[in-house]
Amino acid sequence: MRWPEGDRGSVSAEFAVALPAVLGCLALCVGGIAGAAQYAALAGSAAVAARLAGRGDDPGGAGAPAGSTVGIEREGGLVCVSSTASGDTTLSRLGIRLSARACALDESIAP
């Protein structure tokens, strides 16, 4: 059985079109997983820093991920810490900036 001459090379052309789409989807999936892990690290470090600041300790040892910025605010009897990721990641190239915020009771003003 012989294949018609008009179909010759069609599998190669379909593969050449589909391969970049598959690789793009794979890159987005890996970037999403890395973003989820980075968010978990940001949230954990913000929670630890909020508890430390609430007790009156130095929140510098909270283990914030490298390259992240940390901000501390005191509002209404609470100490709130926000941690924002900076750096060049897959999600930041898409315009998605990760940040986490955690609050704890400010024990320095408690009676």
Side-chain angles (χ1 to χ4, degrees), residues 2-111:
R2 294 191 66 192
W3 295 99
E5 293 298 322
D7 288 342
R8 188 173 184 101
S10 64
V11 172
S12 297
E14 291 169 0
F15 182 73
V17 170
L19 185 63
V22 169
L23 291 178
C25 288
L26 182 64
L28 286 175
C29 289
V30 169
I33 292 170
Q38 188 176 19
Y39 177 76
L42 286 171
S45 69
V48 169
R51 286 192 297 269
L52 287 172
R55 287 191 314 219
D57 295 334
D58 180 26
S68 64
T69 58
V70 177
I72 300 173
E73 300 173 356
R74 296 183 186 274
E75 53 188 47
L78 294 176
V79 176
C80 295
V81 176
S82 60
S83 181
T84 304
S86 59
D88 191 24
T89 63
T90 304
L91 294 177
S92 67
R93 291 179 189 149
L94 296 174
I96 300 171
R97 190 170 190 153
L98 295 176
S99 65
R101 181 180 164 117
C103 296
L105 182 63
D106 191 358
E107 295 177 9
S108 64
I109 63 171

